[in-house]
Amino acid sequence: MKHVYKIKGMSCMGCKNNAETALKGVEYVQTVTIDLQNGTAEIEMSSHIPLNKFQEAFSKAGLHFTIELPDSDNEIKCCQHCETPKKNKNKTGIYYCPMHCEGKKTYTEPIDCPVCGMDLIPQEPDDDEEQKTYKDLVRKMIVASVFSLPVFLIAMSDMILGNTLTGLMDHQGWNWVQFVLTIPVVFYAGWMFFVRAWKSVVTRNLNMFTLIGIGTGVAFLFSIAGLFFPDIFPQEFKTESGTVHLYFEAVAVILTLVLLGQLLEARAHSQTNGAIKELLKLAPSEAVLVENGEDKVISIDDINAGDLLRVKPGDKIPVDGKITSGQSSVDESMISGEPVPVDKKKNDSVIAGTINGTGSFVMIAEKVGADTLLSQIIQMVKDASSSKAPIQKFADKVAKYFVPIVVTVSIITFLVWAFVSGSLVYGFVNAIAVLIIACPCAMGLATPMSVMVGVGRGAQSGVLIRNAEALEMMNKINVLIIDKTGTITEGRPSVERVYAYADNKTDALLKIISSLNRHSEHPLAQSVVKYAGDKGIVLSEVKGFEAVAGQGVTGVVEGKKAALGNLKLMEKVNAVIPDDISAMVVSEQKLGKTVSYISVDSKVAGFVAISDAIKKSSKLAVSELIENGVEVIMLTGDNGDTAKAVADELNLTSFEAECLPQDKLNIIKELQAKGKIVAMAGDGINDSPALAQADVGIAMGTGTDVAIESSAITLVKGDLQGIVKARKLSHAVMKNIKQNLFFAFIYNILGVPIAAGVLYPFFGILLSPMIAAVAMSFSSVSVITNSLRLRKTDLN
């Protein structure tokens, strides 16, 4: 395959030769032809190559060229032979903060967010960059875990193992071991948190990283001072063995827990890119161009509006356009969500990414590239995901007030004790004690423990949850948008009724139509055959079978001329439709069913009604949600009659029919603008923009990968009852998190004034580091024990 690219930055033959050499070194590249005057490169390759691979080749060769990347701001010379400044980026792409701290502001480099300190993420899918970031976090997590676990066990050995370890080495020796083991955790695995803490102080955007950085930093420095200079500490700050009580285990454990949270965030924020990648897979990479009466395989990028393209059976339609010759049935479920293929003939429109059936046709390309409906859906998913407002974490809100309060109390403590005692050491030690007791060990556990246990409990019930934000928002939703096909209904056509007219027998008619349909590839035909098989009908031989495009099928079964199809087919075989049969068919059609007439020897013998059955659990789930104050709205791409029939069955007062992907997206935006918190449940590609826009996207596990990637919650069984379970789980988890945060802060709130020495004038009590350690441990135990209660949450 060949592709033509634009290269910016070349202005001499030296540039041209260097660019050719660099591009030829990329794997799968066969030939490279560069036109210096036009600034283009024609590259022939044996397999598709991502654009960033070529950019990397230029970077490795030390060339400052850009390939199809017009949005660069940095002016530099392309090489030593050139005089004209050229544009370049050290790292191409557009990045934004996943927490949207600065609204829609973007950056050209993957730096940390200047407000919250989170890693910026790319708007465009970049497998290499995502994998690099994720693998880096995994490596740090492994290092942190390997070194933190022994530090924790050593520190807790007296409570866990008794005095076993002191028999091998004295306390001071084990303190040195803890110090050595903590160094990789602080200076490798957790160093980025100290960088973020510093940035938060400089920018005055205090957050969770400020609290973590100050708490662990002070605890680490205090522990080093206690290890190297134990004699400067008063006796109140020493253990029975004479050593200063150290906090290396608190430092290591807190940093490891925060790192675990970052690792989970990295996985959660990749869902948007995952959805976009799945959507990109829908478009074929090649198409068949009809030129001068001959077929020629070309790249999808080389298609121009007005080109004639041949679409063969089973192929994906390459671009939007109209059929000029031929006919077929096309699976458009990715757009409409409806499982029944649409018959297409000359002058009918076809859509990129939809799948052709058994026929072949020639189409004229009308919309290509970014103008196709598939490209627009991809863009809608990007826009919806990047505009979604983040949830401000409770811990960050508290940190904005807690950090300055603790630091102020610590400074006051130092000044007062230094003045009262006349000793700077006493003032320093008590000030440090204030910062240490404020170290958020239990707070680091509060949310992750509840989420971890809650997510596990949900998985047991078939509710897969990506992150804590989804759990929190699920508890707050007041509007639920649901798709029809595959969400409320089974998502596949099935025979609902075979009606035998006059003296005809139902089983006899079923045998005739299923025998006919055995020779048809149409999905509706297959549903009839399956229905007959379930009833044990033995099929007969068919002679003279014929599929009449857009009408139905005919043939001779057991010596009788049979026909199954629409009104036009009945006219073709000269079968007159009685008025009462016609009235019954119209009635069935108003209920949204697909109806085909049956004729035997040119006489109408009955009809077969095919529909997408409502799941048994849908009505119960919708009823329970409405009772709990959730407004349920159905949005479907199906016709109005079908939508009304389903809405009436479920007692829904609100529904919209014939909705395109952008319609669903806009309706959700309108509801959010009114202050509604919206959840969206769907299973199709056409639902992906709405799923990304909703406050909580809920995908049916039986649906498409795109829908699942665009969602925050996946229901494994594809059952609306799972939404009820998700709400109950959300309520339980959020209640549990609030309880955990209470346990985490109550010890800090009580411990800080005691550490400051407010009880000393009355009772002569200073907060011993041993007591502080026990308080820290007890708060952590309280959080863990409380979180584990979620395992017994009743979701039924």
Side-chain angles (χ1 to χ4, degrees):
M1 67 182 73
K2 290 184 180 180
H3 294 281
V4 178
Y5 300 94
K6 267 193 170 295
I7 299 181
K8 292 187 176 182
M10 300 187 301
S11 60
C12 67
M13 288 302 296
C15 293
K16 175 180 178 293
N17 294 333
N18 289 335
E20 281 184 348
T21 301
L23 293 174
K24 286 178 180 178
V26 177
E27 187 179 8
Y28 302 125
V29 169
Q30 296 174 324
T31 62
V32 178
T33 305
I34 293 182
D35 185 335
L36 181 61
Q37 183 176 356
N38 295 321
T40 60
E42 185 180 84
I43 304 175
E44 185 175 1
M45 59 195 77
S46 58
S47 180
H48 177 70
I49 303 172
L51 187 64
N52 65 304
K53 293 294 184 185
F54 295 130
Q55 194 67 52
E56 287 176 4
F58 285 153
S59 299
K60 289 179 182 177
L63 302 173
H64 301 297
F65 304 146
T66 54
I67 181 166
E68 285 194 343
L69 294 171
D71 298 326
S72 294
D73 300 317
N74 299 326
E75 300 282 344
I76 66 168
K77 290 183 179 180
C78 74
C79 70
Q80 60 182 353
H81 307 292
C82 304
E83 297 179 358
T84 307
K86 305 298 174 184
K87 292 184 177 182
N88 176 62
K89 280 183 186 175
N90 291 329
K91 211 155 192 188
T92 58
I94 299 175
Y95 300 83
Y96 67 95
C97 174
M99 300 305 292
H100 305 281
C101 297
E102 299 175 283
K104 293 185 177 182
K105 185 175 181 179
T106 59
Y107 295 84
T108 57
E109 295 181 357
I111 58 176
D112 291 340
C113 172
V115 178
C116 72
M118 290 285 290
D119 291 331
L120 300 183
I121 61 176
Q123 284 188 341
E124 298 292 335
D126 188 332
D127 287 335
D128 292 339
E129 192 168 330
E130 280 185 26
Q131 285 300 313
K132 182 180 178 182
T133 301
Y134 183 71
K135 287 179 180 178
D136 182 53
L137 286 173
V138 169
R139 281 194 297 270
K140 289 180 178 179
M141 187 65 208
I142 292 173
V143 169
S145 301
V146 167
F147 286 95
S148 295
L149 182 60
V151 173
F152 178 77
L153 292 176
I154 291 170
M156 298 294 128
S157 62
D158 289 344
M159 289 185 283
I160 300 173
L161 304 174
N163 295 319
T164 304
L165 292 183
T166 53
L168 301 175
M169 191 187 305
D170 61 18
H171 277 292
Q172 188 68 1
W174 285 115
N175 284 343
W176 278 99
V177 172
Q178 290 184 68
F179 168 63
V180 171
L181 292 175
T182 306
I183 289 175
V185 180
V186 172
F187 292 100
Y188 172 66
W191 184 248
M192 61 181 175
F193 302 131
F194 295 103
V195 173
R196 292 177 184 179
W198 172 250
K199 285 184 178 179
S200 71
V201 173
V202 171
T203 60
R204 298 181 182 179
N205 292 298
L206 304 182
N207 53 42
M208 183 67 180
F209 293 119
T210 320
L211 207 56
I212 296 295
I214 291 178
T216 56
V218 168
F220 185 65
L221 293 175
F222 176 88
S223 299
I224 291 176
L227 182 64
F228 283 86
F229 310 105
D231 294 338
I232 67 171
F233 289 85
Q235 189 61 40
E236 290 88 350
F237 291 86
K238 295 181 180 180
T239 64
E240 293 179 359
S241 61
T243 61
V244 177
H245 189 84
L246 308 181
Y247 294 89
F248 288 123
E249 89 287 351
V251 174
V253 169
I254 291 170
L255 292 177
T256 302
L257 285 168
V258 176
L259 186 60
L260 174 61
Q262 293 295 288
L263 189 62
L264 294 175
E265 288 282 356
R267 292 186 63 185
H269 288 301
S270 68
Q271 63 179 343
T272 300
N273 284 351
I276 295 170
K277 290 171 195 170
E278 293 295 334
L279 283 168
L280 291 172
K281 291 177 184 177
L282 297 173
S285 59
E286 297 177 335
V288 179
L289 175 68
V290 180
E291 192 173 45
N292 299 324
E294 295 184 358
D295 289 357
K296 176 184 177 183
V297 178
I298 63 171
S299 166
I300 193 78
D301 299 325
D302 296 333
I303 299 175
N304 296 310
D307 285 348
L308 293 177
L309 307 171
R310 189 181 304 281
V311 182
K312 298 178 181 179
D315 284 354
K316 290 180 179 178
I317 295 170
V319 294
D320 293 357
K322 284 185 179 180
I323 295 177
T324 58
S325 64
Q327 55 191 16
S328 184
S329 60
V330 178
D331 181 357
E332 294 186 340
S333 58
M334 62 162 280
I335 301 298
S336 66
E338 299 313 306
V340 180
V342 181
D343 291 329
K344 297 287 185 178
K345 59 184 183 304
K346 185 177 179 180
N347 294 327
D348 284 345
S349 297
V350 288
I351 302 169
T354 56
I355 303 171
N356 184 28
T358 57
S360 177
F361 59 84
V362 175
M363 62 173 288
I364 184 170
E366 294 183 331
K367 294 181 179 179
V368 299
D371 294 330
T372 66
L373 183 56
L374 177 59
S375 296
Q376 291 172 13
I377 291 176
I378 292 173
Q379 189 59 45
M380 282 189 287
V381 171
K382 292 179 184 178
D383 294 343
S385 298
S386 63
S387 65
K388 184 164 50 179
I391 303 168
Q392 181 65 45
K393 293 184 178 179
F394 179 74
D396 278 346
K397 290 181 179 179
V398 172
K400 287 184 178 181
Y401 303 99
F402 189 65
V403 172
I405 290 173
V406 169
V407 172
T408 302
V409 171
S410 178
I411 293 172
I412 293 173
T413 300
F414 172 77
L415 295 174
V416 171
W417 274 97
F419 176 77
V420 172
S421 66
S423 170
L424 292 177
V425 172
Y426 256 97
F428 178 75
V429 168
N430 284 324
I432 293 297
V434 170
L435 293 175
I436 288 177
I437 196 64
C439 191
C441 185
M443 188 164 64
L445 284 170
T447 298
M449 275 299 299
S450 293
V451 171
M452 181 177 68
V453 179
V455 167
R457 178 66 186 90
Q460 290 177 340
S461 298
V463 180
L464 305 183
I465 301 166
R466 286 182 182 269
N467 50 50
E469 285 82 359
L471 272 175
E472 180 173 347
M473 294 306 292
M474 196 64 200
N475 188 46
K476 299 177 180 179
I477 65 164
N478 45 36
V479 177
L480 172 65
I481 304 294
I482 51 177
D483 178 44
K484 181 182 74 68
T485 306
T487 303
I488 297 175
T489 66
E490 297 289 351
R492 57 180 181 272
S494 58
V495 175
E496 186 171 303
R497 179 186 184 192
V498 176
Y499 176 77
Y501 182 63
D503 296 331
N504 294 287
K505 303 296 183 183
T506 301
D507 287 349
L509 286 183
L510 180 57
K511 183 174 184 178
I512 291 173
I513 62 175
S514 57
S515 298
L516 272 176
N517 280 327
R518 180 172 57 175
H519 298 274
S520 174
E521 297 294 332
H522 200 286
L524 292 182
Q526 298 306 308
S527 66
V528 173
V529 174
K530 182 181 183 301
Y531 181 73
D534 292 342
K535 288 188 169 294
I537 301 295
V538 179
L539 305 185
S540 300
E541 290 295 323
V542 178
K543 296 180 181 179
F545 174 82
E546 180 184 3
V548 183
Q551 296 182 14
V553 293
T554 63
V556 179
V557 182
E558 297 180 350
K560 299 177 181 179
K561 293 180 181 179
L564 175 68
N566 58 23
L567 183 60
K568 289 184 178 180
L569 184 63
M570 293 299 104
E571 292 174 353
K572 183 176 180 179
V573 299
N574 298 317
V576 179
I577 303 174
D579 292 340
D580 51 347
I581 285 285
S582 180
M584 293 175 68
V585 168
V586 170
S587 178
E588 293 285 345
Q589 289 174 333
K590 284 184 177 180
L591 294 176
K593 299 171 186 175
T594 301
V595 183
S596 294
Y597 293 100
I598 307 167
S599 75
V600 179
D601 290 335
S602 298
K603 292 183 179 180
V604 173
F607 63 81
V608 56
I610 298 175
S611 68
D612 187 10
I614 295 176
K615 295 175 183 176
K616 295 180 180 178
S617 58
S618 294
K619 189 171 184 178
L620 180 63
V622 169
S623 175
E624 188 168 349
L625 288 166
I626 292 174
E627 287 179 4
N628 290 327
V630 178
E631 181 184 1
V632 181
I633 303 172
M634 182 181 72
L635 304 180
T636 177
D638 211 339
N639 63 73
D641 289 335
T642 302
K644 187 177 187 308
V646 173
D648 290 343
E649 179 71 18
L650 297 179
N651 296 319
L652 295 178
T653 56
S654 301
F655 70 91
E656 292 286 341
E658 300 179 3
C659 289
L660 293 175
Q662 58 265 37
D663 296 327
K664 296 181 180 182
L665 179 68
N666 291 334
I667 289 172
I668 290 177
K669 285 182 177 179
E670 289 172 5
L671 288 168
Q672 290 172 329
K674 295 177 181 177
K676 301 289 186 180
I677 300 176
V678 184
M680 165 72 189
D683 76 324
I685 295 162
N686 62 315
D687 298 323
S688 53
L691 287 168
Q693 175 65 36
D695 296 290
V696 182
I698 305 170
M700 301 293 114
T702 51
T704 62
D705 291 340
V706 179
I708 292 171
E709 290 291 341
S710 301
S711 65
I713 297 176
T714 299
L715 308 180
V716 175
K717 297 179 182 178
D719 186 341
L720 282 180
Q721 198 64 39
I723 298 178
V724 177
K725 293 180 180 179
R727 271 182 59 82
K728 290 181 178 179
L729 180 64
S730 171
H731 178 74
V733 169
M734 294 315 301
K735 181 178 179 181
N736 194 266
I737 288 175
K738 290 175 182 178
Q739 292 169 346
N740 285 349
L741 289 172
F742 171 79
F743 288 130
F745 279 110
I746 191 65
Y747 298 103
N748 289 353
I749 292 171
L750 295 177
V752 166
I754 296 174
V758 296
L759 298 181
Y760 187 80
F762 307 102
F763 307 103
I765 296 176
L766 287 175
L767 186 63
S768 165
M770 287 298 294
I771 296 175
V774 171
M776 276 185 173
S777 300
F778 190 65
S779 65
S780 298
V781 170
S782 300
V783 166
I784 293 171
T785 304
N786 187 56
S787 298
L788 292 175
R789 293 191 307 110
L790 286 170
R791 293 185 300 180
K792 298 180 180 179
T793 303
D794 183 13
L795 302 181
N796 296 318

